[in-house]
mmCIF file of all heavy atoms in Angstrom:
data_model
loop_
_atom_site.group_PDB
_atom_site.id
_atom_site.type_symbol
_atom_site.label_atom_id
_atom_site.label_comp_id
_atom_site.label_asym_id
_atom_site.label_seq_id
_atom_site.Cartn_x
_atom_site.Cartn_y
_atom_site.Cartn_z
ATOM 1 N N VAL Z 348 -19.786 -15.837 8.033
ATOM 2 C CA VAL Z 348 -18.389 -15.550 7.748
ATOM 3 C C VAL Z 348 -17.907 -14.239 8.527
ATOM 4 O O VAL Z 348 -18.588 -13.244 8.281
ATOM 5 C CB VAL Z 348 -18.112 -15.408 6.266
ATOM 6 C CG1 VAL Z 348 -16.683 -14.981 6.004
ATOM 7 C CG2 VAL Z 348 -18.423 -16.746 5.580
ATOM 8 N N ILE Z 349 -16.960 -14.388 9.372
ATOM 9 C CA ILE Z 349 -16.485 -13.177 10.075
ATOM 10 C C ILE Z 349 -15.086 -12.822 9.414
ATOM 11 O O ILE Z 349 -14.117 -13.595 9.450
ATOM 12 C CB ILE Z 349 -16.296 -13.492 11.582
ATOM 13 C CG1 ILE Z 349 -17.549 -13.950 12.264
ATOM 14 C CG2 ILE Z 349 -15.731 -12.300 12.275
ATOM 15 C CD1 ILE Z 349 -17.428 -14.482 13.610
ATOM 16 N N ALA Z 350 -15.004 -11.533 9.093
ATOM 17 C CA ALA Z 350 -13.791 -10.970 8.549
ATOM 18 C C ALA Z 350 -13.170 -10.029 9.559
ATOM 19 O O ALA Z 350 -13.818 -9.179 10.071
ATOM 20 C CB ALA Z 350 -13.967 -10.299 7.223
ATOM 21 N N ILE Z 351 -11.902 -10.252 9.830
ATOM 22 C CA ILE Z 351 -11.167 -9.459 10.866
ATOM 23 C C ILE Z 351 -10.174 -8.718 10.087
ATOM 24 O O ILE Z 351 -9.282 -9.204 9.374
ATOM 25 C CB ILE Z 351 -10.564 -10.303 11.928
ATOM 26 C CG1 ILE Z 351 -11.545 -11.218 12.506
ATOM 27 C CG2 ILE Z 351 -9.833 -9.417 13.002
ATOM 28 C CD1 ILE Z 351 -10.907 -12.309 13.563
ATOM 29 N N SER Z 352 -10.131 -7.350 10.276
ATOM 30 C CA SER Z 352 -9.128 -6.522 9.626
ATOM 31 C C SER Z 352 -9.088 -5.192 10.488
ATOM 32 O O SER Z 352 -10.016 -4.488 10.785
ATOM 33 C CB SER Z 352 -9.569 -6.154 8.200
ATOM 34 O OG SER Z 352 -8.730 -5.106 7.711
ATOM 35 N N GLN Z 353 -7.786 -4.780 10.955
ATOM 36 C CA GLN Z 353 -7.555 -3.629 11.574
ATOM 37 C C GLN Z 353 -8.054 -2.388 10.735
ATOM 38 O O GLN Z 353 -8.828 -1.556 11.099
ATOM 39 C CB GLN Z 353 -6.082 -3.385 11.914
ATOM 40 C CG GLN Z 353 -5.767 -2.262 12.882
ATOM 41 C CD GLN Z 353 -5.675 -0.941 12.120
ATOM 42 O OE1 GLN Z 353 -6.241 0.195 12.654
ATOM 43 N NE2 GLN Z 353 -5.126 -0.716 11.040
ATOM 44 N N SER Z 354 -7.466 -2.339 9.377
ATOM 45 C CA SER Z 354 -7.728 -1.126 8.491
ATOM 46 C C SER Z 354 -9.087 -1.216 7.916
ATOM 47 O O SER Z 354 -9.705 -0.179 7.540
ATOM 48 C CB SER Z 354 -6.682 -1.084 7.455
ATOM 49 O OG SER Z 354 -6.833 -2.302 6.586
ATOM 50 N N GLY Z 355 -9.695 -2.382 7.724
ATOM 51 C CA GLY Z 355 -10.936 -2.571 6.926
ATOM 52 C C GLY Z 355 -10.690 -2.370 5.450
ATOM 53 O O GLY Z 355 -11.733 -2.348 4.658
ATOM 54 N N GLU Z 356 -9.491 -2.377 5.042
ATOM 55 C CA GLU Z 356 -9.128 -2.167 3.577
ATOM 56 C C GLU Z 356 -8.287 -3.352 2.999
ATOM 57 O O GLU Z 356 -7.805 -3.336 1.892
ATOM 58 C CB GLU Z 356 -8.319 -0.904 3.430
ATOM 59 C CG GLU Z 356 -9.206 0.377 3.854
ATOM 60 C CD GLU Z 356 -10.437 0.562 3.005
ATOM 61 O OE1 GLU Z 356 -10.587 -0.021 1.904
ATOM 62 O OE2 GLU Z 356 -11.192 1.541 3.310
ATOM 63 N N THR Z 357 -7.965 -4.430 3.789
ATOM 64 C CA THR Z 357 -7.035 -5.444 3.346
ATOM 65 C C THR Z 357 -7.611 -6.124 2.216
ATOM 66 O O THR Z 357 -8.722 -6.741 2.241
ATOM 67 C CB THR Z 357 -6.874 -6.501 4.483
ATOM 68 O OG1 THR Z 357 -6.540 -5.788 5.765
ATOM 69 C CG2 THR Z 357 -5.782 -7.516 4.122
ATOM 70 N N ALA Z 358 -6.828 -6.104 1.046
ATOM 71 C CA ALA Z 358 -7.376 -6.546 -0.242
ATOM 72 C C ALA Z 358 -7.888 -7.983 -0.172
ATOM 73 O O ALA Z 358 -9.019 -8.289 -0.685
ATOM 74 C CB ALA Z 358 -6.251 -6.286 -1.287
ATOM 75 N N ASP Z 359 -6.980 -8.925 0.416
ATOM 76 C CA ASP Z 359 -7.309 -10.289 0.338
ATOM 77 C C ASP Z 359 -8.691 -10.553 1.141
ATOM 78 O O ASP Z 359 -9.506 -11.378 0.791
ATOM 79 C CB ASP Z 359 -6.271 -11.176 0.745
ATOM 80 C CG ASP Z 359 -5.150 -11.276 -0.189
ATOM 81 O OD1 ASP Z 359 -5.408 -11.375 -1.314
ATOM 82 O OD2 ASP Z 359 -4.034 -11.220 0.250
ATOM 83 N N THR Z 360 -8.782 -9.814 2.263
ATOM 84 C CA THR Z 360 -9.909 -10.063 3.155
ATOM 85 C C THR Z 360 -11.118 -9.516 2.405
ATOM 86 O O THR Z 360 -12.261 -10.130 2.543
ATOM 87 C CB THR Z 360 -9.692 -9.347 4.511
ATOM 88 O OG1 THR Z 360 -8.398 -9.788 5.058
ATOM 89 C CG2 THR Z 360 -10.846 -9.679 5.460
#
Side-chain angles (χ1 to χ4, degrees):
V348 178
I349 301 172
I351 306 174
S352 169
Q353 188 280 141
S354 67
E356 302 290 352
T357 310
D359 287 320
T360 307

